[in-house]
Structure formats: structure tokens, C-alpha cells
Amino acid sequence: MTEQTLVPVFDGHNDTLLKLYQAKEADKEKLFIDGAPADWHIDLPRAKKGGFAGGMFAIFPPSLEKRRSLAMPSNDEPLPPQLPLDAATESTVGMASILFKLERAGALTICRSAAEVRAAVAKGILAAVFHIEGAEAIGPDLAMLEVLHAAGLRSLGIVWSRPNIFGNGVPFRFPSSPDTGDGLSDAGKALVKECNRLKIQIDLSHLNEKGFRDVAKLSDAPLVATHSNVHKICPHARNLTDWQLGAIRDSGGMVGLNYATGFLRDDGRMVADTGIDVMVRHVDALIEALGEGHVGLGSDFDGAVIPAPIGDVSGLPKLIDAFAAHGYGRELIEKIAWKNWAEALERGIG
């Protein structure tokens, strides 16, 4: 193990709370703390082994038709319909409860500011930012947003890929432009303004191009895509075009590299037999487009098929070593691994 593998990693997106929510075990905290099944990506023992310092812990309300841990549809599979408010509220509150219980059990600490993230990383405590992927639990009056913010919500993806009352996401389609539908509704535009007021980071990763343009026009915060890649390398609808990357750069925003193989590979195949080299290629392109201070990691752990050489969170040192072998210096590696996220959160949420 080299010195480089000691770099902590703060990650832009994981779906571990959904895994815990859907697990049959009643004691979710024990499952996370003692060790989850081998096919999961994150638990506390593997996090410690891999240098995982924390990240945005996503709450994703699963569709009624497919209550499965791996929520990502296959290529061009029809998206599920809009999720009813009551179902979304039930699952959102359920996953939030698990996050709070994990904090009470000492497994992690919920961070409401960049300073709290930095303090947790310095102490070796898992830093969790309360994030929602798909705002279906929030009604058009936005009252639930106030409640969730008071509970610790600091990052919000307006949509997952299915439509909701606020806007439209991109389908899981390859090859495809992200220009796949209408932009934000009036309710979505009001949601953006309220997130700005409350200093809740807006995540653009699943939003279609017209919705992205609406956020870019309306928002006074840096534009952030927590788990997306480069469209010119992998022309998937989920990836970011040159225009989108330019808008993020001009806003002082941030992109986290998604490890999902279908968003990495130039053939769009969601298969584990994928090398780390293509991940480095995307990071090179992101650095070229955004600058060294605006690129991080956004794994999609526990929500996607990731490259087999990494396997799970314990394999993060292999990615860090690949960066070093590629010629990235220690300072740049630390920026990509966690410091850029801390800076982005400071710009976005304080």
C-alpha cells in the first residue's frame, strides 16, 4: 500500500440508504456497522478499509413497480410513472430515519456545513450530507422542504429520471442527447428559488437539458452535478455535454465522477468488466473542462454496476493509485478525492 492510498475520499453520491431501507433485516444500524452482504458497496468496515471519509447519502424514493435495491433501468427501458406523494413521503421519511439512527449509533455524523465535513474528515468520522434524489415527497406548497431542511437536508436532486411535478429527468438511453423533454414546471422554478434561499445545493445529475438550462438561468448558486460524466466520451443521456460543462465552469460549480460503467464506456454497456483507465480518462476531460478545483468523485455506489477492479468502497485505494500512476500529484489527488467537495459545499451551503 502506497502513501497515496491514505488519501480520504468524500463522495458525491451513494444509494446505501435505499439498500438499508429495502433490506429484510430489522436492525439496519447493525447491518451497516457490522458488515453488509458481499454484493453491497458500502458498510462501515469496508469504508474504513478503503479510506472512505463520507459523502452525499442519497434518499431515493423507489418506484412502486420495481422495489429493488439496484434502481437503475437497463438501456432505453421505459421509465416508471410519476410516484404518488404518499408513497414517496413514506420511503423518504423511512430512509431519513435510518440516517438519523446511524448517527445515534455512532456510525457517522450528519454534516450541515462544509466546516462540519472538514471536521469529520479530520477526526476520521464518516461524514454524511443528507441528500434527496427525486423530490417526490415535497408537495407544490414546498412545506415539506422546510421540514426536511430543518432535519438536515442540504442537497437535493429535483428529479430522478422519472418525471415529477417539478420537471423531467433524462431516460437511461445510449446513445442520446440529454435534450429529451420539457424543462422545469412553475413549481420546479419555485423549488429552485426556495433551495437558493435555504442554501440547499441543487443536484443536476438526472435533470434533462431544458431543466438544466432553467436552473442555470434561475439559480444564484454554483451549478453542481454530483454523479455525472463526459458526454463526448460516453454519449449517454445521463452525461454532460460541452455546453453543460461550460455552464458549470462559469458558475464555479462541481462535477463528481460517476463510476456506473454504462456512463463511462464509449459503448454504453453496463458491465463490470471495465477498467479504471476509462475513469481516469473522464477525470482528465473534466479537469480540462472545469479546472482542477471543480472535479471530484460521485460513485453511485449501491446504485449501479461499477468497474470490477474497484468492486466496492474498499477498492478506492486502487483508484487513488491509478491517479498517481497517471501523473497526478498528491495535491491534485487530494482535491479530487475530497477537498474540492468541501470547497463546493462551502460555496453552496455554507
Side-chain angles (χ1 to χ4, degrees):
M1 183 175 290
T2 70
E3 183 185 0
Q4 295 286 1
T5 62
L6 301 177
V7 176
V9 172
F10 182 91
D11 184 76
H13 186 92
N14 72 69
D15 287 298
T16 306
L17 290 175
L18 177 63
K19 285 277 200 179
L20 290 166
Y21 178 70
Q22 295 183 323
K24 295 179 180 179
E25 291 84 350
D27 192 339
K28 312 294 187 180
E29 306 90 85
K30 180 178 175 60
L31 181 61
F32 184 81
I33 292 170
D34 291 348
D39 61 345
W40 289 31
H41 292 151
I42 298 178
D43 56 29
L44 194 56
R46 280 180 276 187
K48 291 179 178 178
K49 182 178 179 181
F52 182 71
M56 259 72 90
F57 276 68
I59 288 174
F60 165 63
S63 300
L64 297 176
E65 292 78 8
K66 293 186 175 180
R67 290 192 176 274
R68 59 184 182 182
S69 294
L70 189 61
M72 193 174 292
S74 59
N75 188 43
D76 221 13
E77 180 181 340
L79 290 169
Q82 185 170 318
L83 187 64
L85 178 65
D86 58 349
T89 301
E90 178 184 354
S91 60
T92 296
V93 171
M95 281 177 271
S97 175
I98 292 169
L99 182 62
F100 302 146
K101 289 176 181 176
L102 288 172
E103 183 176 49
R104 285 201 300 274
L108 51 77
T109 183
I110 300 172
C111 298
R112 294 165 173 81
S113 69
E116 291 181 4
V117 169
R118 291 190 180 100
V121 172
K123 295 176 183 177
I125 301 170
L126 204 62
V129 173
F130 183 170
H131 169 82
I132 284 178
E133 181 179 49
E136 285 91 345
I138 299 170
D141 62 1
L142 306 183
M144 180 61 81
L145 184 68
E146 294 277 2
V147 174
L148 291 167
H149 177 264
L153 177 69
R154 292 297 182 271
S155 181
L156 173 73
I158 297 172
V159 295
W160 179 66
S161 286
R162 65 183 168 232
N164 63 30
I165 65 170
F166 302 111
N168 295 278
V170 289
F172 290 84
R173 183 180 299 159
F174 177 94
S176 175
S177 160
D179 188 9
T180 58
D182 295 333
L184 297 183
S185 66
D186 289 343
K189 293 174 183 178
L191 177 61
V192 170
K193 293 177 181 178
E194 191 65 4
C195 285
N196 281 175
R197 184 184 72 82
L198 293 170
K199 298 189 77 66
I200 296 172
Q201 173 181 272
I202 298 169
D203 178 19
L204 300 166
S205 280
H206 280 269
L207 199 59
N208 67 10
E209 184 174 323
K210 287 185 174 66
F212 187 110
R213 288 180 183 272
D214 286 337
V215 175
K217 182 178 180 180
L218 290 166
S219 180
D220 60 16
L223 301 176
V224 172
T226 63
H227 57 307
S228 292
N229 295 335
V230 179
H231 191 270
K232 69 181 178 183
I233 296 176
C234 172
H236 197 290
R238 274 280 282 105
N239 285 340
L240 299 167
T241 63
D242 287 346
W243 177 85
Q244 289 173 312
L245 291 169
I248 292 169
R249 178 195 62 234
D250 293 346
S251 76
M254 179 81 179
V255 176
L257 174 77
N258 194 320
Y259 303 0
T261 58
F263 308 153
L264 290 168
R265 299 169 60 100
D266 59 10
D267 61 7
R269 295 174 63 211
M270 194 68 79
V271 293
D273 185 15
T274 300
I276 295 177
D277 60 313
V278 70
M279 302 174 75
V280 177
R281 184 182 175 199
H282 277 270
V283 172
D284 274 344
L286 288 171
I287 291 173
E288 181 179 358
L290 304 173
E292 292 184 355
H294 302 275
V295 180
L297 304 176
S299 66
D300 222 342
F301 276 140
D302 283 321
V305 176
I306 67 168
I310 294 198
D312 58 36
V313 73
S314 67
L316 286 172
K318 296 178 183 177
L319 180 58
I320 298 300
D321 284 343
F323 289 154
H326 186 63
Y328 294 173
R330 176 81 180 201
E331 182 180 358
L332 176 56
I333 289 172
E334 289 182 338
K335 285 182 176 182
I336 295 168
W338 77 276
K339 289 184 176 180
N340 283 347
W341 270 124
E343 293 291 332
L345 288 168
E346 186 164 12
R347 293 191 295 269
I349 69 173

